[in-house]
Amino acid sequence: MCMSLLFSLLHTEPFVVKPQNTPSTAFCLLYSLFCMRLAEDQVEALVLHDFVYARAIGFLYLRYTMDGETIWAWFKDYVDDPTPLKTKLGRSTCVYLCAILCLPR
């Protein structure tokens, strides 16, 4: 995987407003992972990673690729995860990792 990109992540925002509404590093990495069609063990390595943004990318990957029937098996142990992460570039406020796991009803 693109480990050097993974460790450069500082937020999970889909795009960067300045200078010209470009895709963020996080979503460029996510797109690369989609193109690679990760195996289950590779997704598991992301979800279990120590680096919170690696886990966030892993969960975003699952949200975009899994169906509602099987996604709970991946998410159930993390719905109360209090690990903070930044979702917006340049903002000091953080959300908890469990916030990106919230599924629409």
Side-chain angles (χ1 to χ4, degrees):
M1 282 188 276
C2 312
M3 294 307 280
S4 61
L5 275 178
L6 185 64
F7 289 114
S8 70
L9 294 180
L10 301 174
H11 63 90
T12 57
E13 189 172 25
F15 61 92
V16 180
V17 177
K18 293 182 181 179
Q20 54 201 24
N21 291 338
T22 58
S24 70
T25 304
F27 273 71
C28 287
L29 177 60
L30 192 58
Y31 177 76
S32 296
L33 298 178
F34 292 148
C35 292
M36 291 169 55
R37 297 181 184 242
L38 297 181
E40 187 174 326
D41 61 328
Q42 292 173 308
V43 176
E44 186 174 10
L46 283 172
V47 169
L48 297 176
H49 206 282
D50 291 336
F51 187 52
V52 66
Y53 293 102
R55 287 188 287 167
I57 292 296
F59 287 126
L60 286 170
Y61 182 87
L62 289 169
R63 285 203 61 178
Y64 285 115
T65 59
M66 300 288 287
D67 61 38
E69 301 287 324
T70 56
I71 201 166
W72 179 248
W74 287 90
F75 283 11
K76 67 182 177 185
D77 295 332
Y78 299 94
V79 294
D80 293 327
D81 191 333
T83 308
L85 75 150
K86 290 175 68 172
T87 56
K88 302 274 186 193
L89 179 64
R91 297 210 180 142
S92 60
T93 57
C94 293
V95 298
Y96 296 118
L97 181 62
C98 60
I100 66 169
L101 304 180
C102 296
L103 301 173
R105 294 179 188 220

